[in-house]
């Protein structure tokens, strides 16, 4: 669906993710194809670090954390005025977009070109901004397939579960089957046309809680490890407000345990899981994407 993760060939994100969307509409228009609707796969990454609230100074959009902050283990987002730790506000579709990695920039651009051409040529278009989608067949090759892949392979290989930062990051994990249902809802509903929708679980989970759940489902002893690793340009917290989509009738019905169980059962059928994990982990360190 897209060129993803964080790689150093930055131009490929534009070639693969933006040019492909323009080419899709170009082909439809030039060949007068009877396409009734297009659903664009977008991402929560378009929101960047996101919106926060300080109890004293109110709401603000957080800036990307600097490498110095990471190295100082100053993980939290703080109010730019009083420097107290601020609270994340789940992103809504009307929030400002502040993408801070090439993948996210390409997703914003693909949304823009798709909505522009869709409206111009009357091709109903919908953008779905997924949170962290989980389930069987989630790629073992991608750097940003995320914590579930990493934790599952480690647990099943009887290794300690290594977590980044202080493991207190908040994430929104949504099951792939709920995401499929979201596509079907917007596909059949004209009220969704020319709109962007968040697709998440509407629940917040700490990374350490995910690690504990993985160990329990894998029937392994929970052995955490916090070496102070971090990924450049990774948001501190990432939460979505999916109520706009829920007003159309969609709602997430699968639990995080459903996702973890399904994924671990699948990983156990993959003989190359550990090899693939080692390859991506080493590559992230060599490219300076994952640091300590």
């Amino acid at each position: 669906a897209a060129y993803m993760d964080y790689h150093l060939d930055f131009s490929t994100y534009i070639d693969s993710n933006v040019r492909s969307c323009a080419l899709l509409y170009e082909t439809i228009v030039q060949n007068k194809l009877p396409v009734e609707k297009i659903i664009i796969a977008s991402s929560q990454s378009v929101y960047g670090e996101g919106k926060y609230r300080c109890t004293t100074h109110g709401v603000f959009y957080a800036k990307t954390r600097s490498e110095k902050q990471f190295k100082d283990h100053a993980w939290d987002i703080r109010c730019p005025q009083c420097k107290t730790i601020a609270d994340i506000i789940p992103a809504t579709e009307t929030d400002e977009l502040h993408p801070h990695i090439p993948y996210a920039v390409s997703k914003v651009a693909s949304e823009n070109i798709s909505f522009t051409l869709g409206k111009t040529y009357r091709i109903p278009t919908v953008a779905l901004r997924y949170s962290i989608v989980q389930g069987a067949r989630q790629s073992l090759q991608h750097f940003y397939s995320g914590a579930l892949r990493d934790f599952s392979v480690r647990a099943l290989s009887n290794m300690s579960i290594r977590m980044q930062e202080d493991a207190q990051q908040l994430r929104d994990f949504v099951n792939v089957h709920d995401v499929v249902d979201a596509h079907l809802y917007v596909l059949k509903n004209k009220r969704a046309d020319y709109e962007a929708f968040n697709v998440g679980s509407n629940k917040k989970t700490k990374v350490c809680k995910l690690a504990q759940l993985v160990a329990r489902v894998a029937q392994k002893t929970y052995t955490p490890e916090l070496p102070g690793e971090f990924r450049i340009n990774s948001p501190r917290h990432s939460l979505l407000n999916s109520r706009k989509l829920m007003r159309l009738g969609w709602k997430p019905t699968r639990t995080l345990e459903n996702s973890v169980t399904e994924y671990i059962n699948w990983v156990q059928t993959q003989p190359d899981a550990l090899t693939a994990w080692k390859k991506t982990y080493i590559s992230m360190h060599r490219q300076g994407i994952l640091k300590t």
Side-chain angles (χ1 to χ4, degrees):
Y3 188 64
M4 55 185 295
D5 300 331
Y6 190 99
H7 300 287
L8 303 183
D9 53 335
F10 309 125
S11 63
T12 306
Y13 292 97
I14 305 303
D15 291 340
S16 295
N17 301 348
V18 184
R19 187 172 182 273
S20 61
C21 284
L23 184 59
L24 176 65
Y25 286 87
E26 180 181 314
T27 302
I28 292 168
V29 172
Q30 290 186 1
N31 294 283
K32 299 180 180 180
L33 301 178
V35 173
E36 296 182 17
K37 183 174 287 191
I38 293 175
I39 301 173
I40 298 297
S42 190
S43 166
Q44 65 177 1
S45 66
V46 299
Y47 297 111
E49 194 68 65
K51 190 164 62 175
Y52 282 74
R53 178 181 287 107
C54 169
T55 55
T56 303
H57 297 101
V59 175
F60 65 96
Y61 286 92
K63 294 183 179 179
T64 304
R65 293 174 293 169
S66 67
E67 187 164 339
K68 183 180 185 305
Q69 281 181 270
F70 283 119
K71 288 185 175 180
D72 290 343
H73 293 182
W75 310 122
D76 289 304
I77 299 295
R78 294 178 178 271
C79 172
Q81 297 184 59
C82 65
K83 307 305 179 184
T84 59
I85 296 175
D87 297 319
I88 182 74
I89 301 174
T92 64
E93 294 83 354
T94 56
D95 284 354
E96 294 178 11
L97 305 182
H98 295 282
H100 57 215
I101 58 174
Y103 169 74
V105 171
S106 74
K107 284 300 184 180
V108 173
S110 66
E111 281 192 26
N112 289 339
I113 192 69
S114 298
F115 281 132
T116 297
L117 295 175
K119 291 174 182 177
T120 300
Y121 294 100
R122 299 179 183 177
I123 305 169
T125 299
V126 182
L128 295 183
R129 297 171 179 168
Y130 314 133
S131 63
I132 302 173
V133 184
Q134 297 184 325
R137 295 183 292 280
Q138 181 181 343
S139 176
L140 293 166
Q141 308 296 330
H142 293 153
F143 295 173
Y144 275 70
S145 289
L148 179 57
R149 178 206 60 174
D150 189 76
F151 295 171
S152 297
V153 174
R154 286 180 182 272
L156 292 171
S157 302
N158 294 312
M159 293 188 287
S160 60
I161 297 182
R162 177 176 293 188
M163 290 166 279
Q164 295 168 15
E165 301 187 21
D166 59 357
Q168 298 301 302
Q169 307 96 302
L170 295 174
R171 294 291 185 263
D172 182 335
F173 301 110
V174 64
N175 186 279
V176 65
H177 300 292
D178 286 329
V179 174
V180 171
D181 289 343
H183 284 75
L184 297 177
Y185 270 94
V186 301
L187 184 67
K188 298 173 183 177
N189 197 320
K190 291 186 177 181
R191 289 188 296 155
D193 295 353
Y194 308 110
E195 295 282 347
F197 294 91
N198 292 336
V199 186
S201 67
N202 261 4
K203 296 180 180 179
K204 56 185 179 182
T205 302
K206 288 184 178 180
V207 168
C208 61
K209 295 298 182 183
L210 174 66
Q212 291 169 10
L213 179 58
V214 167
R216 179 166 64 80
V217 172
Q219 298 182 343
K220 303 291 184 178
T221 301
Y222 175 57
T223 309
E225 186 179 346
L226 290 169
E229 283 185 338
F230 60 88
R231 288 186 307 186
I232 60 171
N233 287 341
S234 178
R236 172 56 173 171
H237 303 303
S238 188
L239 301 175
L240 292 183
N241 180 327
S242 300
R243 290 187 176 88
K244 180 180 177 182
L245 182 57
M246 293 173 73
R247 287 195 290 271
L248 291 184
W250 172 86
K251 65 177 181 179
T253 61
R254 284 82 173 182
T255 66
L256 180 57
E257 185 164 351
N258 292 152
S259 298
V260 171
T261 301
E262 181 183 349
Y263 186 71
I264 286 179
N265 288 341
W266 175 75
V267 170
Q268 289 176 313
T269 69
Q270 304 301 303
D272 298 328
L274 182 59
T275 300
W277 170 83
K278 287 181 178 178
K279 182 178 179 180
T280 57
Y281 190 74
I282 292 171
S283 181
M284 289 175 75
H285 270 288
R286 284 178 176 172
Q287 293 185 39
I289 295 168
L290 184 63
K291 298 183 178 182
T292 303

